[in-house]
Amino acid sequence: MPRVAFLGLGAIGTPMARHLARPDFDLAVWNRTASRAAEFVAAHGGRHAATPADAARDRDVVITCLPVSRDVEGLLDGPDGLLATMPSGSVLVDCTSGDGATSRRMAARLAERGIGFLDAPVSGGVVGAERGALTVMIGGDAAILERVREVIACFGSTIVHCGGVGAGDALKAVNNALLAMHLWGTAEGLVALEKAGVKSEIALQVINQSSGRSNASMNLFPERVLTRAFPRTFRLALLDKDVGIAAELARETQVPSPLLQLTSELFRMAHRELGEDADHVEVAQLVERLGGAQIGGRGTNA
Ligand code: NDP
């Protein structure tokens, strides 16, 4: 019976952890705000750990899913920290969409104690997490992945080994930078089309049959913008962080990247403007405000 700990019961961590609350697993959960862990245990089972150290005691696998890598690094030390109890031979699987430099630092520290590390960011959103159908991008030793694959497969239907430690982080950041570009670019285009008299419903119908389509145009705009639903599933603050990591990666690798740098600047501005709790799709509202027309409004000449 795999002994697993899950730390970080946020918007995506909670549905991921649910797949580990099963009779053939021994699960401990910890969350900074203890009431969320208590609610999780009441609803799904598992043991509510008082501290990260308590969660990690005797575990084979410790999974973390926090906003940024530095938050995970902050859980390592001190009497309540993971390193106080994580056994040699265990593995830390960090599902945070993190940054490679911090992941490599953590991996080196853990290796000194015989503990494995994988960066394992996920894509597929809250819906994918609920279905246990996330894509998991792994950075680290392929042999370590094989030891924990069974556990990751509970929430990941596609598990891809991307390279050494930090490779998963890098790929995830670039993927999300592309999401950000599609979101912003589609919003600008639709607002301009509205002002030119083309209804967004019609524009999306055509774009989604044509070469400009993306996940943003096919799913996010029809389901969340046209409906004005704007559900809060993935915070803009987190997408801002991801685009920042991608922009930094391009600078570090000395790749001329005006588009990545501009996207990073735009999302930093949007994050400042819309605040910590805004969803990423709410950037469409900012573009509407700047452009003076609503996506799915009337089309000024319609
Ligand atoms: P949320 O903001 O919903 O949740 C964050 C979680 O981390 C909460 O459990 C929070 O605890 C905890 N936390 C925050 N700061 C700290 C800290 N300093 N120390 C300990 N715990 C902390 O984030 P998500 O669940 O949406 O995202 C988690 C990660 O997954 C991020 O890296 C994100 O980019 C990534 N991701 C998210 C997706 C999504 O659709 N939401 C999709 C793919 C990746 P508390 O309850 O106390 O606030």
Side-chain angles (χ1 to χ4, degrees):
M1 183 183 279
R3 291 164 299 184
V4 181
F6 197 102
L7 292 82
L9 298 169
I12 197 144
T14 299
M16 288 167 69
R18 260 185 233 144
H19 296 287
L20 300 166
R22 39 191 270 179
D24 54 337
F25 277 33
D26 173 358
L27 176 69
V29 295
W30 177 84
N31 193 62
R32 181 180 63 177
T33 303
S35 57
R36 291 176 99 172
E39 279 163 29
F40 180 94
V41 167
H44 310 291
R47 179 174 70 82
H48 180 183
T51 61
D54 181 25
R57 186 172 292 112
D58 300 331
R59 300 291 99 177
D60 305 306
V61 186
V62 173
I63 302 172
T64 43
C65 190
L66 305 184
V68 301
S69 295
R70 287 278 174 88
D71 295 330
V72 180
E73 194 173 36
L75 298 187
L76 294 183
D77 295 303
D80 290 340
L82 293 172
L83 290 178
T85 55
M86 262 186 95
S88 172
S90 63
V91 180
L92 176 59
V93 177
D94 184 17
C95 291
T96 304
S97 300
D99 72 273
T102 309
S103 288
R104 283 186 287 274
R105 208 162 52 229
M106 286 196 281
R109 290 198 58 202
L110 291 162
E112 286 168 10
R113 295 164 180 253
I115 300 169
F117 177 89
L118 299 174
D119 47 301
V122 300
S123 72
V126 170
V127 171
E130 279 163 356
R131 292 191 188 134
L134 292 171
T135 296
V136 191
M137 296 158 239
I138 305 287
D141 188 335
I144 294 178
L145 169 60
E146 290 319 311
R147 276 163 43 204
V148 299
R149 184 182 282 275
E150 173 198 15
V151 173
I152 297 174
C154 293
F155 52 80
S157 55
T158 305
I159 302 170
V160 183
H161 184 243
C162 305
V165 172
D169 291 328
L171 180 44
K172 171 68 185 175
V174 169
N175 176 75
N176 277 24
L178 292 172
L179 159 66
M181 289 176 192
H182 289 303
L183 257 178
W184 199 285
T186 306
E188 283 184 359
L190 291 177
V191 169
L193 285 168
E194 282 281 349
K195 292 183 88 171
V198 181
K199 288 183 178 174
S200 296
E201 290 84 349
I202 290 174
L204 283 169
Q205 192 188 327
V206 172
I207 289 167
N208 287 336
Q209 295 291 332
S210 307
S211 48
R213 67 180 179 266
S214 64
N215 178 56
S217 70
M218 295 182 79
N219 298 308
L220 299 178
F221 280 82
E223 292 167 13
R224 301 180 179 209
V225 181
L226 290 184
T227 59
R228 310 313 283 176
F230 294 104
R232 291 188 161 175
T233 62
F234 176 43
R235 291 189 300 122
L236 171 61
L238 295 172
L239 185 55
D240 172 25
K241 169 259 308 180
D242 293 332
V243 186
I245 293 170
E248 171 69 20
L249 176 74
R251 288 194 298 273
E252 273 171 10
T253 51
Q254 298 183 344
V255 173
S257 53
L259 197 47
L260 271 175
Q261 306 306 324
L262 175 62
T263 309
S264 172
E265 220 171 280
L266 287 172
F267 275 75
R268 203 161 44 240
M269 182 264 288
H271 175 186
R272 244 193 338 262
E273 189 74 18
L274 299 173
E276 288 307 306
D277 295 330
D279 186 76
H280 64 308
V281 180
E282 289 176 47
V283 296
Q285 294 178 359
L286 186 57
V287 175
E288 289 174 335
R289 219 187 312 146
L290 295 170
Q294 184 177 306
I295 296 165
R298 292 277 106 166
T300 46
N301 299 332

